[in-house]
Amino acid sequence: MWDVGRTIALETETGPEALLRDRAELEVLRIRDSPGLTPSDASLGKSGLPKKVQVAGIKDLFPSLGFYMRNSQRDIAVYKCDFGFEFLMFLVIARMASHNSSGRVLLFTIAAAAFSTVHASPSLADMHVSRDGGIDFSSAPPNLTTLANNTLFTYWRPKAHFIAPNSWMNDPMTLWYKADGQGGGKFKASYQAHPNHVQWGNISQASAASDDLIHWRDVPSWKDDRLTLVESFLLSRLPMSRIQLTKPKTSQSPSQPNDRLGVFDGTMISKGYKGFPTIIYTGVKYLPTGWTIPYTPGTETQNLAWTEDGGVTWHKLETNPVIGGPPEGMNITAWRDPWLFQSPTLERLTASNPGTPTPGTTFNGETADNTRRSSTSSGKKIKNPWFATVSGGEKEAGPHLLLYRQASEDFTKWVYLGQIFKHTGNYSWSEWSGNWGWNFEVSTVLRLGTEGDQPGPGGRDFICMGTEGGRPEGWSNHWPLWMKGSYSGSAQLAPEYAGVVDWGETYAFMSFPVPREKGAKDYKNQPTRQILFGWAYEDDKGYGSLAKGWQGSFTLPREMFVKRWTVRDSRVDERGSWGIVSRSSGSTTLETLGTRPAKEVDLLMSESKSKWNEKGWTYNGGSTNGGWTAFAKQPNSRHYVLTATLDFSKGSDSQAGFTIYKSPDGSEQTHIYYDFAAETIRVDRSKSSLVTAFNLGAEAGKFRLWNMATGGGSSETTNGLLESLKLKVIVDNSIVE
């Protein structure tokens, strides 16, 4: 995922049918982070509301879209396009005619680890805001730091992505499904929030609900009282009416110390404490904390809260924490982000391991309270127990994932079983796999099949993890990665192959199970699908944040599955993001962790009210550098989808793809293309914006075109037929996936 094409939005949608929750009636943000900024300074007009944005005209507002080609000396074939507008969501559908191919869908398949989200910036020169607002973008961009708060609120805001009503948001958390829709919708999603600020701090939980994964309603409201699980320091500063909303009488008081400085990531048990939906989350007591600095004992604890109304309000356990601290004697880098799951495999492998009671915790800021150590009170074996992992690492050693098991029926007691995965620091499995760094965060443990979750025989075991310290060249020194492995007899996962969840500006991916339709393929063994969201963070270096008034969003929802395909290719034994399933008569069946758009995203696209075709073409050789051919018809929106099939010749040195957001004079344009020789999807952002204070660095993700065993491509090789490249580009204003 990348940031691409920061441009003005035609309008702001309002009401319950809004795809995102942009509000024309948004109250003025009073940014306390800005010294000397008064409420009057923050206002956007006499009414305190964002002023209406005017545009110069359709031709200027929507720069051109077209084919892009570089260094091409061999044949490239591009097949005809099919475009269309989405009536409500302003998505344009661009669909290539189908071509006989067994290749993988490119963008949403991690098969060769090229699922990317990019940020590219706006065509400010091609539009203007009404001079009544005192801002003129018809020439050079203004100094964004001089603009009033929220002046650019709708400028780069996406419409098809989950996004907070305003202010800062980051990691997805508390993702779950409730069939009866209690609390506003069947699908529940929460996120880390800092209302009224555009920088990280005072992290609490805010929530939304949906019936289709696309249209979301804030819970309980999009207004100031939207937090659903609040860190205690912030709670102590809220008015009593607000406290009663967030803290029912049976919940904790503001004096509880464990989360006084932050409610960090947590995950759900559908029927947990007292039979209610339950979250176990990390409470933060001391800051700062980070893998590069000494760890303060008692900084992080694992705490329990439950909801009785479908996630609108939450009750914190009065005797929190339920896991008081990391294993004694570990010099840890971090200890946070519990992931809760059930596993017949781990239940069998750990049956003879009684576990170690979790250590005491520093309580009320004083000494360790060893009377609070978790242990099994009766020794009774729990049927189908839940497991928990906590992410972190050890200083000078490397990252690890710690494993715990439920030790009481009410989920208030847990035992430590050991390290389910650990590795030396700063390690890279291959060029297809990122770097595991020095500390893990937001890790998940999954067992998947070809259709979704497969907990029983035939499933494949994966760990997805956010890593810190292995990407110093940028991206906040973070990687969102995955690893496939096999369990040893001691319940440790040994890696077999590994890859990247997303090569762009994304992190903190979190997933949750959703029921599949009865009668679906292999429903008996794979009854649920695993829905994946990630945090798409900003790539603007903080420039103009106050004028924008919001930070961050989710990726579009994706489904996770095991992808398999058969090749006749000599490269199968290379170390990469794939594993070998079987070999037969010169052919090899491979597998990897795949993702694809959730079916709800595809259903949304299928509702397009208008579509059109673009004629395909074949380039027959010669030399060109930076060649560009405009589509015959252009989308008149900054929210559309383009799909295409591209065929390359054997041994090609070609680089071909598409250009989006090309201004009339070419001063702004973003290229998305495949570099055949380098086996890489590239995004050239060098001219993505005239705002040079934004990050305009290039993005790239590895992706291989395989020689297929049968059919599926245009170029016959000694190994097999070279598969076609199927490319899907989803453009949503400033976000491109």
Side-chain angles (χ1 to χ4, degrees):
M1 179 168 173
W2 295 284
D3 244 353
V4 195
R6 295 184 175 276
T7 56
I8 207 165
L10 262 183
E11 64 181 76
T12 296
E13 296 187 286
T14 59
E17 297 303 317
L19 181 59
L20 293 182
R21 288 149 295 138
D22 295 346
R23 303 299 186 192
E25 64 269 44
L26 174 70
E27 296 181 1
V28 175
L29 298 184
R30 292 172 173 82
I31 308 298
R32 300 187 184 91
D33 294 351
S34 302
L37 185 66
T38 66
S40 60
D41 294 327
S43 64
L44 305 182
K46 293 181 180 180
S47 66
L49 303 177
K51 292 197 172 184
K52 184 177 180 181
V53 176
Q54 304 293 327
V55 298
I58 294 297
K59 289 184 179 179
D60 288 340
L61 180 62
F62 305 110
S64 298
L65 171 70
F67 299 111
Y68 176 73
M69 183 169 53
R70 295 182 59 187
N71 302 329
S72 300
Q73 297 182 357
R74 295 181 182 270
D75 292 356
I76 304 173
V78 182
Y79 295 85
K80 69 176 184 176
C81 301
D82 188 17
F83 265 96
F85 290 111
E86 209 300 315
F87 177 73
L88 174 63
M89 268 50 80
F90 300 97
L91 294 175
V92 177
I93 309 302
R95 184 169 299 149
M96 288 289 181
S98 90
H99 176 61
N100 181 23
S101 171
S102 60
R104 289 147 290 129
V105 176
L106 169 70
L107 192 60
F108 288 93
T109 300
I110 310 180
F115 186 101
S116 300
T117 304
V118 186
H119 290 311
S121 305
S123 285
L124 293 177
D126 293 339
M127 61 197 73
H128 69 271
V129 173
S130 170
R131 290 181 183 273
D132 293 339
I135 305 171
D136 184 5
F137 286 154
S138 60
S139 56
N143 182 343
L144 303 188
T145 64
T146 65
L147 304 181
N149 290 2
N150 303 307
T151 308
L152 304 177
F153 185 79
T154 61
Y155 234 71
W156 300 307
R157 197 165 170 86
K159 290 181 179 292
H161 287 71
F162 181 109
I163 192 170
N166 54 65
S167 310
W168 174 274
M169 69 173 288
N170 57 292
D171 302 7
M173 61 181 293
T174 321
L175 306 176
W176 54 300
Y177 178 86
K178 198 171 192 302
D180 63 9
Q182 181 192 29
K186 296 183 294 185
F187 300 100
K188 315 286 187 178
S190 298
Y191 55 94
Q192 295 185 6
H194 190 198
N196 301 325
H197 295 256
V198 291
Q199 296 175 339
W200 185 93
N202 295 324
I203 290 299
S204 296
Q205 173 181 278
S207 305
S210 171
D211 285 321
D212 61 6
L213 283 176
I214 301 297
H215 303 81
W216 294 87
R217 294 172 290 276
D218 297 281
V219 175
S221 166
W222 62 269
K223 297 182 179 180
D224 289 342
D225 56 1
R226 61 187 168 97
L227 297 180
T228 54
L229 196 61
V230 186
E231 51 94 359
S232 296
F233 180 65
L234 178 59
L235 186 60
S236 67
R237 293 178 291 159
L238 296 174
M240 184 56 63
S241 60
R242 176 69 185 93
I243 292 175
Q244 293 303 315
L245 175 64
T246 302
K247 187 193 81 63
K249 292 181 180 179
T250 57
S251 186
Q252 92 297 341
S253 69
S255 62
Q256 190 175 29
N258 300 308
D259 58 10
R260 67 188 182 98
L261 292 183
V263 171
F264 280 16
D265 289 340
T267 51
M268 288 291 299
I269 302 169
S270 57
K271 293 183 179 180
Y273 187 76
K274 298 182 179 180
F276 292 109
T278 297
I279 178 180
I280 295 181
Y281 67 94
T282 298
V284 177
K285 187 175 181 180
Y286 304 120
L287 288 175
T289 185
W291 68 275
T292 61
I293 62 177
Y295 188 84
T296 301
T299 292
E300 294 158 318
T301 55
Q302 313 313 320
N303 301 272
L304 183 150
W306 75 95
T307 179
E308 299 178 11
D309 56 10
V312 179
T313 58
W314 293 83
H315 309 256
K316 294 180 184 178
L317 187 70
E318 292 183 359
T319 56
N320 273 329
V322 295
I323 310 179
E328 294 174 338
M330 280 190 177
N331 186 15
I332 63 170
T333 52
W335 187 68
R336 55 178 168 265
D337 307 334
W339 168 254
L340 305 170
F341 64 106
Q342 290 177 293
S343 170
T345 301
L346 287 176
E347 182 179 4
R348 174 177 54 83
L349 292 175
T350 63
S352 61
N353 183 353
T356 303
T358 57
T361 177
T362 53
F363 198 68
N364 290 326
E366 300 297 334
T367 58
D369 180 1
N370 291 317
T371 65
R372 299 172 52 80
R373 297 171 67 94
S374 295
S375 63
T376 52
S377 57
S378 64
K380 179 181 176 182
K381 183 177 180 180
I382 296 175
K383 185 179 180 180
N384 300 322
W386 282 75
F387 293 87
T389 57
V390 180
S391 301
E394 290 188 75
K395 297 283 188 181
E396 308 301 328
H400 66 206
L401 196 59
L402 307 182
L403 180 65
Y404 297 82
R405 185 179 60 214
Q406 176 191 359
S408 67
E409 295 286 353
D410 63 359
F411 298 93
T412 63
K413 296 180 176 63
W414 297 78
V415 293
Y416 173 60
L417 298 174
Q419 295 171 313
I420 190 174
F421 180 67
K422 64 178 180 178
H423 209 279
T424 54
N426 199 33
Y427 177 81
S428 180
W429 178 264
S430 74
E431 63 177 324
W432 303 82
S433 309
N435 187 295
W436 293 350
W438 292 96
N439 186 68
F440 285 166
E441 298 184 294
V442 290
S443 301
T444 62
V445 179
L446 304 169
R447 187 172 174 87
L448 300 172
T450 56
E451 307 302 320
D453 295 300
Q454 188 167 349
R460 297 293 193 261
D461 295 299
F462 294 91
I463 290 176
C464 296
M465 62 277 199
T467 76
E468 294 188 294
R471 209 177 189 183
E473 66 274 19
W475 297 272
S476 301
N477 209 357
H478 287 153
W479 276 106
L481 305 178
W482 59 265
M483 179 270 291
K484 191 271 178 187
S486 293
Y487 286 110
S488 67
S490 58
Q492 286 193 330
L493 202 63
E496 295 178 343
Y497 55 89
V500 179
V501 175
D502 193 310
W503 292 82
E505 280 86 23
T506 58
Y507 190 62
F509 280 84
M510 191 59 58
S511 61
F512 67 112
V514 172
R516 298 176 64 211
E517 295 180 1
K518 291 186 178 180
K521 183 178 179 181
D522 200 26
Y523 175 81
K524 181 179 179 180
N525 297 313
Q526 302 181 67
T528 56
R529 55 191 174 120
Q530 194 72 204
I531 300 297
L532 179 71
F533 280 111
W535 168 40
Y537 54 84
E538 299 305 304
D539 204 22
D540 53 17
K541 299 181 179 179
Y543 178 67
S545 295
L546 297 179
K548 192 173 68 171
W550 56 273
Q551 288 279 307
S553 71
F554 283 1
T555 64
L556 289 172
R558 312 170 184 178
E559 295 179 3
M560 307 176 74
F561 65 104
V562 174
K563 178 67 183 180
R564 293 199 180 108
W565 69 106
T566 302
V567 303
R568 189 182 295 271
D569 197 308
S570 59
R571 299 171 294 177
V572 295
D573 291 311
E574 294 177 5
R575 192 178 177 98
S577 58
W578 56 87
I580 295 175
V581 179
S582 63
R583 302 177 192 261
S584 177
S585 302
S587 296
T588 306
T589 298
L590 303 177
E591 68 177 14
T592 190
L593 175 62
T595 62
R596 57 192 168 214
K599 66 178 183 179
E600 289 80 3
V601 176
D602 285 341
L603 288 173
L604 176 68
M605 296 174 187
S606 69
E607 296 173 1
S608 173
K609 304 300 181 181
S610 175
K611 304 175 184 179
W612 75 86
N613 294 331
E614 287 286 328
K615 184 179 180 180
W617 51 268
T618 300
Y619 182 75
N620 295 312
S623 178
T624 183
N625 188 8
W628 187 83
T629 302
F631 284 2
K633 186 176 181 178
Q634 295 292 325
N636 63 352
S637 167
R638 295 189 180 277
H639 313 272
Y640 57 86
V641 176
L642 165 68
T643 62
T645 301
L646 288 79
D647 282 337
F648 292 82
S649 297
K650 158 183 153 181
S652 176
D653 60 353
S654 300
Q655 300 173 2
F658 297 91
T659 297
I660 64 172
Y661 291 149
K662 180 179 174 67
S663 61
D665 63 358
S667 61
E668 287 188 333
Q669 54 188 305
T670 299
H671 305 303
I672 303 171
Y673 62 95
Y674 184 64
D675 183 335
F676 184 87
E679 301 183 300
T680 299
I681 296 287
R682 300 191 187 279
V683 180
D684 181 351
R685 300 190 301 171
S686 60
K687 293 185 177 181
S688 287
S689 180
L690 295 178
V691 182
T692 56
F694 293 154
N695 183 6
L696 302 179
E699 296 280 356
K702 296 290 291 182
F703 191 85
R704 171 168 291 175
L705 294 181
W706 292 89
N707 298 309
M708 308 303 289
T710 56
S714 62
S715 178
E716 186 171 358
T717 72
T718 56
N719 292 316
L721 296 175
L722 182 65
E723 70 174 322
S724 301
L725 172 64
K726 291 187 175 180
L727 180 66
K728 177 178 290 186
V729 181
I730 299 176
V731 180
D732 191 19
N733 207 357
S734 66
I735 297 179
V736 172
E737 297 197 45

